[in-house]
Amino acid sequence: MRVTRLLIEDFRNYARAERTIASAVTALVGRNGAGKTNVLEAIHLIARGDSPRARDDTELVRWGANTARVSARVERIDDARTVDVVLFSPPAGERRRPRRYLLDGAGKRADEAIGELAVVSFFPEDVQLLAEAPSARRRYLDSMVAQVYRRHRSETREYQRILEQRNSLLRALRSDVRPSALESGSAGAGEAGPGRTMELSFWDAELVRLAASISLRRLEAVRELVAPFREAATRFSGADSLSLAYAAQVEGDTIAERATAYQALIGQKRDRELWQGTTLVGPHREDLAVSAHGRALPTFASRGEQRSAVLSLKLAEAAWIRDRVGELPVFLLDDVLSELDPGRRDALVDALPEDAQTVLTAAFEAGIPERLIERADVLWVKDGAIA
Amino acid sequence: MTQVLARPLARLIDELSKLPGVGPKTAQRLAYYILRASMSDADALASAVRAVKTDLRYCSTCFNIAETDPCAVCAADDRDHAMVCVVEEPLDVLAIERTGQYKGVYHVLHGAISPLNGVRPDDLKIAPLVTRIKGGGITELILATNPNLEGEATAMYIAQALGTGGVRVTRLARGLPMGGDLEYADEVTVSRALEGRRAL
């Protein structure tokens, strides 16, 4: 799939920029702070509904403007649609407004518009992915899975709500000394009496239902990533010892098996959950584990090794999306090439499929390998304008 | 600073702007309207406001807001006292009454379970409901809590609290709204409607 036209209005440092993108490779070249990455960010926003750099929409709206718009023409094998995202940054004191999404000009729910375009992105921050806290890897994995299974997005959101309610209840139960009006037993604070179990049971059931479905989708995706990941890793660093696994709390290859296992685990951890006042069971405690020679990677890997591992992961992600969706995603490469040694740079260029669309940024044209630049449209970016 | 706005008027504007959905501008407009209204209209408003605080009470059977205890519905002879419809708020009673189809009585919980907002089963009128059912004479309980997470949690809790004690416990059907279009319904609603399909 391809982005063939991009319109950016009042987004970051752009007042207005519109480009038709004809070439498979587009290189955005310009000085630091010119606004190269903002273009990649805009495409990422259209595809995944979030920005790898901004926490809040107000950061994305140009200073002094109240609304920003990103509009992209997305061409796929069998259809072409225009996806618009409108972001609001209301003046101080006014109510915040949710984003608006449009498909071919008609207002849609976020879940319908997001996922029209699939991307795989390499931003400089991604190098940290394997060394960061597990939550970053879970977010990465969920975002990847949601590109293929739209349901994953709504389920993870629902899971988050259940988790908040259940944690509040566990905290309340921990500090609870009054016996419930309906409780016949005489369990003290922090013990699992019949009344407590009854109050928890609805949240347990909802947690188990979503946990089973979310974790199974993640598990299956990671299993399918292993082969392309190893292949990419070997190509990159010759390190054939790298491997990938989904570190789950339970086993099971069907939703029913996993649900039973989570339910059993909740039973085992009941007293600890009540004592700690937080949910200890579920996919929010699981992780995407990268290992070398059977050991976890972050403990010993150099920055270079980590970069190679992350790039391998992203290339595997692209292969996975191609297999699942039937089309290659768009590659977004933010200043990646300049940070690689020549060998790895060539390996990356080799690994980029020729028929995939690639949008990349570089501070100098000379930083882009010849084999890429000869197929590329070079666009000069300066002070929020694309020449 | 000189008090430009007469104190009683300023007080009325302040009080009105505390009401939900009323901003400072609307409050001003309402206050000036009351100022210009006849004495009898102003008195009627004042006494109506006072009366909702002094003349209303909770029905000790169903916990609906009423003038009398028991309330008109609980005291009525022509209603089916063996069927109890459990709702979250007094306004939900009105919604069900509007159908004109329901002949049973009610039980108002005054909220739904939401640990996040600090609402636990004991904060709702669930224990009195259990007592009411144990008292006998009730054959069916209709759980009409809202079809959201909190409403479902409340319905499940009540069903569990009652156990399998002879009373038939039902839940309101979920699915497509009347006059709606299938193509505009979201996946959750449509899948619930499929689950709850009926033979014709």
Side-chain angles (χ1 to χ4, degrees), chain A residues 224-300:
Chain A
E224 289 164 1
L225 279 181
V226 172
F229 174 73
R230 283 198 162 144
E231 193 191 317
T234 310
R235 189 168 354 181
F236 257 116
S237 45
D240 51 3
S241 57
L242 281 181
S243 193
L244 198 62
Y246 182 56
Q249 287 180 326
V250 302
E251 289 179 6
D253 287 340
T254 65
I255 289 198
E257 278 173 35
R258 294 185 88 79
T260 312
Y262 278 120
Q263 188 66 56
L265 197 58
I266 282 182
Q268 283 169 36
K269 300 236 172 170
R270 174 72 86 218
D271 287 344
R272 265 197 72 182
E273 286 197 326
L274 285 166
W275 181 63
Q276 294 194 6
T278 190
T279 299
L280 301 172
V281 176
H284 67 291
R285 308 281 286 198
E286 299 177 338
D287 196 359
L288 171 70
V290 178
S291 58
H293 304 288
R295 278 197 298 164
L297 191 64
T299 53
F300 61 86

Side-chain angles (χ1 to χ4, degrees), chain A residues 31-87:
Chain A
R31 271 189 292 183
N32 293 336
K36 307 183 295 286
T37 304
N38 300 345
V39 176
L40 301 191
E41 193 179 22
I43 300 174
H44 194 278
L45 181 73
I46 285 278
R48 300 210 179 188
D50 65 8
S51 151
R53 296 192 302 167
R55 280 169 189 279
D56 200 314
D57 279 1
T58 52
E59 293 175 41
L60 298 173
V61 179
R62 190 170 66 98
W63 203 82
N66 293 330
T67 60
R69 174 190 291 267
V70 177
S71 173
R73 183 78 178 157
V74 178
E75 293 196 1
R76 304 173 63 139
I77 289 172
D78 47 5
D79 69 347
R81 307 190 82 169
T82 302
V83 187
D84 284 41
V85 187
V86 183
L87 311 164

Side-chain angles (χ1 to χ4, degrees), chain A residues 183-199:
Chain A
E183 192 165 357
S184 46
S186 54
E191 279 173 54
R196 295 163 197 290
T197 307
M198 205 164 83
E199 256 193 274

Side-chain angles (χ1 to χ4, degrees), chain A residues 109 154 158 161-162 164-166 168-169 172-173 176 178-182 195 197-199 201-203 206, chain B residues 113-117 120-123 126-127 130 134 149-150 152-154 156-157 160-161 185-187 192:
Chain A
R109 284 183 296 130
S154 56
E158 200 184 343
R161 281 205 301 272
I162 303 279
E164 281 172 17
Q165 290 277 16
R166 194 170 184 274
S168 299
L169 180 56
L173 288 170
D176 223 6
R178 61 175 177 162
S180 160
L182 290 167
T197 307
M198 205 164 83
E199 256 193 274
S201 71
F202 172 80
W203 307 107
E206 287 293 292
Chain B
I113 293 174
S114 174
L116 196 58
N117 299 316
R120 307 263 306 272
D122 288 355
D123 300 312
I126 292 178
V130 175
K134 288 208 174 112
L149 201 54
E150 290 75 20
E152 295 294 333
T154 312
M156 280 295 294
Y157 184 83
Q160 268 187 323
D186 65 290
E187 315 85 77
R192 286 289 163 88

